[in-house]
């Protein structure tokens, strides 16, 4: 799917959706969808995916969707801080943000929040030119070290593809959201332990940036950013790993599998899942 097709899909599926601001009036079952603007949320994923696909492999630049406690999904943090230990001392917002609120959102901002360029109208008018302008703010910065962890070769190869695959699912199916900032609790919540705790990703309270959470209504799934490990909820309410990893599949097949894990289309395939 090219960027023009992505923008057309976002407009078709999100432009007429009812607002979902985070408030007491928003039903608890829909709180995970909260965002200042539904269409800007979808367009923001297009911009974020373009940046990750252009600058993750050569510069380790990531785009983390952020759920603000007062606003819901209102920004993407453009950062290298979670890409490797060599960047751990960088400010989390040293590369700015994609803001999903305000006039003509989404907008690229400086770390201070000052707007560099607003992209809402530009994406509607000329998607290719808008993305080219967005990317012009992020020239290659190179990598500080050849070794960014033992799975870096897989992350740089597969993560941009996986990111774009999730972005397109969000465009295709309003109601899907995804997170890169995941808190793992070691205590049960509503009587259930966190899936990543059950699978020993962390046995103490911790924030992880090494996984992607994809959610649709009451269903959720998790996969590693290198695509080499995935966890989804079974029909028996347990959590299962998969036999065939996402980094062994093409994007369209990955979409099919994620949709089946979320029970949007089909059921998990027992031969691979």
């Amino acid at each position: 799917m090219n960027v023009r097709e992505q923008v057309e899909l976002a407009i078709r599926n999100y432009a007429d959706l009812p607002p979902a601001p985070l408030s007491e009036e928003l039903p608890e079952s829909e709180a995970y969808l909260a965002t200042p603007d539904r269409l800007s949320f979808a367009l923001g994923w297009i911009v974020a995916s373009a940046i990750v696909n252009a600058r993750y492999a050569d510069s380790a630049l990531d785009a983390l969707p952020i759920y603000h406690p007062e606003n819901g999904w209102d920004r993407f943090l453009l950062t290298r801080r979670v890409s490797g230990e060599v960047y751990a001392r960088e400010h989390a917002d040293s590369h700015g943000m994609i803001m999903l609120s305000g006039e003509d959102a989404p907008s690229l901002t400086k770390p201070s929040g000052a707007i560099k360029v607003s992209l809402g109208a530009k994406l509607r008018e000329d998607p290719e030119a808008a993305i080219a302008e967005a990317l012009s703010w992020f020239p290659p910065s190179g990598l500080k070290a050849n070794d960014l962890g033992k799975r870096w070769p897989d992350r740089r190869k597969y993560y941009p593809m996986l990111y774009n695959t999730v972005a397109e699912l969000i465009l295709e199916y309003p109601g899907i959201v995804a997170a890169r900032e995941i808190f793992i609790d070691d205590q049960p919540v509503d009587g259930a332990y966190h899936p990543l705790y059950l699978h020993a990703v962390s046995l103490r309270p911790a924030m992880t940036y090494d996984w992607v959470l994809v959610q649709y209504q009451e269903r959720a799934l998790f996969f590693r950013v290198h695509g080499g490990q995935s966890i989804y909820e079974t029909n028996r309410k347990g959590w299962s790993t998969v036999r065939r990893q996402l980094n062994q599949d093409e994007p369209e097949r990955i979409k099919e599998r994620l949709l089946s894990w979320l029970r949007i289309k089909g059921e998990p395939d027992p031969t691979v899942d």
Side-chain angles (χ1 to χ4, degrees), residues 14 32 37 101 138 143-144 166 183 208:
Y14 280 82
Y32 80 102
D37 187 292
S101 60
F138 304 99
L143 300 173
K144 287 185 178 180
V166 169
F183 178 70
T208 180

Side-chain angles (χ1 to χ4, degrees), residues 2-20:
N2 61 41
V3 67
R4 182 170 294 274
E5 292 169 334
Q6 289 180 336
V7 170
E8 289 173 351
L9 185 61
I11 293 171
R12 184 162 65 248
N13 287 346
Y14 280 82
D16 297 325
L17 291 180

Side-chain angles (χ1 to χ4, degrees), residues 4-269:
R4 182 170 294 274
E5 292 169 334
Q6 289 180 336
V7 170
E8 289 173 351
L9 185 61
I11 293 171
R12 184 162 65 248
N13 287 346
Y14 280 82
D16 297 325
L17 291 180
L22 188 59
S23 66
E24 294 182 356
E25 287 71 36
L26 188 67
E28 184 176 350
S29 62
E30 298 178 16
Y32 80 102
L33 293 171
T35 185
D37 187 292
R38 299 294 296 277
L39 179 56
S40 294
F41 169 81
L43 295 176
W45 270 98
I46 297 173
V47 178
S49 180
I51 293 171
V52 169
N53 274 267
R55 291 291 166 258
Y56 187 76
D58 67 15
S59 304
L61 184 59
D62 205 346
L64 306 185
I66 299 298
Y67 189 93
H68 191 280
E70 296 178 359
N71 304 318
W73 301 107
D74 72 343
R75 71 195 67 187
F76 289 80
L77 196 63
L78 302 175
T79 185
R80 300 196 295 180
R81 189 171 183 174
V82 300
S83 297
E85 287 297 322
V86 70
Y87 300 113
R89 293 177 180 246
E90 284 194 2
H91 291 295
D93 59 357
S94 59
H95 295 270
M97 296 174 285
I98 304 170
M99 293 301 300
L100 306 180
S101 60
E103 186 176 354
D104 200 24
S107 300
L108 293 178
T109 78
K110 299 177 181 179
S112 65
I115 293 176
K116 296 192 287 191
V117 59
S118 295
L119 296 165
K122 292 182 177 184
L123 283 165
R124 294 172 178 83
E125 294 165 3
D126 190 338
E128 294 85 358
I131 292 299
E133 183 173 1
L135 294 180
S136 71
W137 290 93
F138 304 99
S141 56
L143 300 173
K144 287 185 178 180
N146 291 327
D147 183 11
L148 294 177
K150 63 181 180 179
R151 297 305 296 264
W152 172 247
D154 288 337
R155 285 192 286 131
R156 74 185 302 179
K157 181 177 181 180
Y158 296 112
Y159 177 60
M161 179 272 289
L162 292 168
Y163 197 108
N164 191 63
T165 301
V166 169
E168 290 190 354
L169 280 179
I170 288 170
L171 302 179
E172 292 173 24
Y173 296 92
I176 293 180
V177 300
R180 284 276 284 101
E181 187 175 58
I182 303 168
F183 178 70
I184 304 172
D185 204 339
D186 65 345
Q187 299 298 314
V189 177
D190 296 329
Y193 283 98
H194 195 286
L196 297 184
Y197 172 79
L198 293 175
H199 284 263
V201 174
S202 178
L203 297 180
R204 59 184 181 182
M207 192 76 75
T208 180
Y209 298 90
D210 197 35
W211 290 75
V212 179
L213 159 66
V214 183
Q215 181 178 353
Y216 179 76
Q217 297 179 2
E218 75 281 0
R219 291 281 185 181
L221 62 88
F222 301 83
F223 64 83
R224 293 282 292 275
V225 294
H226 51 64
Q229 187 178 1
S230 301
I231 300 171
Y232 73 93
E233 188 178 9
T234 69
N235 289 333
R236 296 182 179 182
K237 300 300 181 183
W239 292 87
S240 177
T241 57
V242 302
R243 294 180 175 88
R244 181 178 175 86
Q245 300 304 331
L246 295 181
N247 59 19
Q248 297 175 276
D249 282 324
E250 296 299 316
E252 286 307 311
R253 177 58 179 147
I254 293 171
K255 284 184 182 181
E256 293 173 0
R257 295 182 70 190
L258 298 185
L259 289 172
S260 74
W261 299 349
L262 294 171
R263 309 314 196 275
I264 295 174
K265 287 181 67 177
E267 293 279 334
D269 180 351

